[in-house]
Amino acid sequence: MDFLPVFLNLRDRPCVVIGGGEVGARKVSLLLEAGAKVTVYDPDLGPSLAALRDAGRIAHRAERFRPEVLDQCVLAIAATGDETVNRAVHEAAVARRIPVNVVDQPALCTFIMPSIIDRSPVVAAVSSGGRSPVLARLIRARLESLIPAAYGRLAKLVEEFRDQVKAKFKSPPKRREFWEEVLQGPIAEMVMAGQDELAHEAIEKRLNEADGAAKPVGVVYLVGGGPGDPDLLTFRALRLMQQADVVVYDRLVSPQVLDLVRRDAERIYAGKERDKHSIPQEDINHLLVRLAKEGKRVVRLKGGDPFIFGRGGEEIETLAAEGVPFQVVPGITAAAGCAAYSGIPLTHRDYAQSVILVTGHLKDGTVNLNWKALAQPGQTIVFYMGLLGLSAICRELVSHGLPAATPVALVQQGTTPQHRVLTGTLETLPGIVQREDIKPPTLIIVGEVVKLRDKLKWFVPVPR
Ligand code: SAH
């Protein structure tokens, strides 16, 4: 190890920065975040530091560097870009035994500044020992995505309950077990979703249970799994999938997405073939309630977004009525996913000022939709579940006023390795589709924007 990582307490301590340009400004803002009292030496200040001086946040001395300016400070940073000055700062600091950092000159540093992920009071720091700041920054970016923004609030919750937990669990292993459960489970997720009050209640309940060995809190996460490509999951969806005890999933959830669920989780298939639901909706609703009441972390995984043609509303109504805690995680809906991967912008200043999502699902062969409202100029229409009704849909749109030459796209298994797009017009597409072997699910996009695909298509599916 070239450098020992330590965290310095600089609150109200005098620090000196030599160099008033933008590089110096970045260091100054970090020092300020740590509560330091900063004095900047430079005959001229750049705009960022001038603003901080005018706001009274830093002191400024319009002087050249002299070794004596370090006499009273606890830490020095040189950011001048002038080799001679930088070296002089280094020497003066070493002579006074105070830590010194010379920007971009590791050989002149007695300490270096890491890339940091700030979730105060939680702070993670990454350093490449001055060898590759870019590499450190890339690692930092990965950590940023791994450490949810709410970890700071989580740490504060721990602080609040620390004494109580200590009093309750005398043995350190028991304490650790308790905190591990809290910090990895539903209680932490409550904090991350802003349900702080619920989290407090849940911790209190756990503490009040005589032996602390009560059933853990059960909860249902209604998670949007997106249209197929696992890269399109949200961080939250992935995190919850990896904590699940049981996952209840639909036919629309792609195998690649399902693969990301925790290995040991029980998997329950809830079906949803067209018109032959493997489990009736009513039973799914009650299944979710029962699993949660057993103390399980249940992920109800849906294709696309749970609130767009996903019956998500019905499922959580039952949960709400039964007092089961739940969260809803949005997903990329088929319209957004299919359109993006097909190079078809759903709105466009020249062609479409509105977009409408409708179900093309036909009960007994008829489509009962407000055709007049749909067949409007300057509007993109996206039909979910429209394959069987395609001919009827095209016919109705034309008879309600859309030109027969209006472009239409049919997107099959959008965003997956089987992604395929057929294009035509309201007049020609039904015939084209009939001659092809089409695999569900498919989405139909109607409107002038479909023409843009010729120029904008970019996605090339890679077969597995
Ligand atoms: N909640 C889902 C929609 C469920 S309804 C969402 O937000 O996307 C089911 C319909 O969604 C299918 O019949 C099909 O029209 C559409 N669909 C879902 N995933 C799709 C995909 N990958 N490609 C094309 N259409 C898809």
Side-chain angles (χ1 to χ4, degrees), residues 19 85 178 211 227 238 248 254 313 385 400 413:
V85 179
F178 176 85
D211 51 1
L238 185 62
V248 182
S254 78
M385 300 166 277
H400 285 81
Q413 301 185 332

Side-chain angles (χ1 to χ4, degrees), residues 226-228 251-252 302-310 332-335 338 383-386 411-416 441-444:
R251 180 182 55 95
L252 274 180
K302 300 244 171 201
D305 180 275
F307 277 5
I308 295 184
F309 304 123
I332 293 197
T333 190
C338 293
F383 287 94
Y384 286 67
M385 300 166 277
V411 184
Q412 161 190 299
Q413 301 185 332
T415 80
T416 73
T442 60
L443 195 80
I444 299 159

Side-chain angles (χ1 to χ4, degrees), residues 138 230 244 251 460:
L138 292 178
R251 180 182 55 95
V460 183

Side-chain angles (χ1 to χ4, degrees), residues 18-21 23-24 42 78-86 102-105:
I18 321 295
V23 177
D42 197 322
T80 68
D82 178 328
E83 180 83 43
T84 334
V85 179
N86 283 351
V102 178
V103 176
D104 283 341
Q105 286 189 269

Side-chain angles (χ1 to χ4, degrees), residues 295-319:
K296 299 214 166 101
R297 285 172 281 185
V298 184
V299 164
R300 172 67 174 119
L301 190 56
K302 300 244 171 201
D305 180 275
F307 277 5
I308 295 184
F309 304 123
R311 297 201 173 195
E314 296 168 42
E315 294 180 6
I316 57 177
E317 259 175 58
T318 317
L319 298 174

Side-chain angles (χ1 to χ4, degrees), residues 7-15 30-38 57 74-75 118 120-121 123:
F7 290 85
L8 284 179
N9 180 355
L10 291 178
R11 192 150 301 279
D12 295 327
R13 312 281 278 157
C15 296
L30 285 169
L31 292 174
L32 289 178
E33 269 173 53
K37 284 205 167 0
V38 180
R57 309 228 10 236
V74 301
L75 178 142
D118 186 3
S120 288
V123 175

Side-chain angles (χ1 to χ4, degrees), residues 93-342:
V94 170
R96 285 162 183 77
R97 297 199 166 80
I98 58 172
V100 59
N101 177 279
V102 178
V103 176
D104 283 341
Q105 286 189 269
L108 297 182
C109 292
T110 65
F111 78 94
I112 54 176
M113 298 185 72
S115 286
I116 61 178
I117 300 104
D118 186 3
R119 305 282 188 270
S120 288
V122 177
V123 175
V126 182
S127 152
S128 64
R131 286 185 180 72
S132 172
V134 175
L135 184 63
R137 242 180 290 135
L138 292 178
I139 296 172
R140 179 194 141 215
R142 300 192 83 168
L143 290 176
E144 282 282 1
S145 61
L146 279 179
I147 306 177
Y151 263 35
R153 278 182 19 251
L154 200 55
K156 287 177 193 139
L157 183 81
V158 173
E159 191 178 15
E160 248 173 82
F161 282 96
R162 204 152 98 174
D163 291 342
Q164 264 171 279
V165 172
K166 219 166 177 172
K168 171 95 191 186
F169 303 105
K170 299 279 184 281
S171 94
K174 275 260 169 262
R175 251 183 346 247
R176 198 183 56 229
E177 219 173 273
F178 176 85
W179 281 124
E180 277 175 2
E181 185 209 308
V182 167
L183 294 176
Q184 297 176 49
I187 295 179
E189 290 301 331
M190 286 168 181
V191 174
M192 290 186 230
Q195 301 172 318
D196 289 35
E197 226 168 275
L198 268 186
H200 267 86
E201 279 168 27
I203 291 200
E204 259 154 23
K205 203 163 149 222
R206 296 288 280 139
L207 283 173
N208 289 338
E209 261 130 18
D211 51 1
K215 258 198 330 221
V217 196
V219 57
V220 176
Y221 303 120
L222 180 59
V223 174
D229 184 346
D231 258 13
L232 296 177
L233 285 171
T234 59
F235 291 135
R236 180 171 295 197
L238 185 62
R239 194 173 69 236
L240 297 176
M241 284 159 63
Q242 295 190 339
Q243 294 175 5
D245 295 311
V246 43
V247 55
V248 182
Y249 66 99
D250 283 0
R251 180 182 55 95
L252 274 180
V253 174
S254 78
Q256 295 88 321
V257 168
L258 200 60
D259 259 359
L260 295 172
V261 172
R262 192 168 72 95
R263 288 267 162 265
D264 300 337
E266 181 189 351
R267 289 163 162 70
I268 301 177
Y269 177 63
K272 286 251 166 90
E273 304 277 343
R274 220 176 356 232
D275 283 340
K276 54 171 174 159
H277 298 176
S278 310
I279 307 183
Q281 187 64 49
E282 184 82 345
D283 294 358
I284 298 177
N285 301 353
H286 288 108
L287 173 70
L288 298 178
V289 170
R290 180 171 60 75
L291 291 168
K293 288 198 168 166
E294 284 169 11
K296 299 214 166 101
R297 285 172 281 185
V298 184
V299 164
R300 172 67 174 119
L301 190 56
K302 300 244 171 201
D305 180 275
F307 277 5
I308 295 184
F309 304 123
R311 297 201 173 195
E314 296 168 42
E315 294 180 6
I316 57 177
E317 259 175 58
T318 317
L319 298 174
E322 297 275 343
V324 172
F326 62 86
Q327 290 183 17
V328 184
V329 183
I332 293 197
T333 190
C338 293
Y341 278 50
S342 303

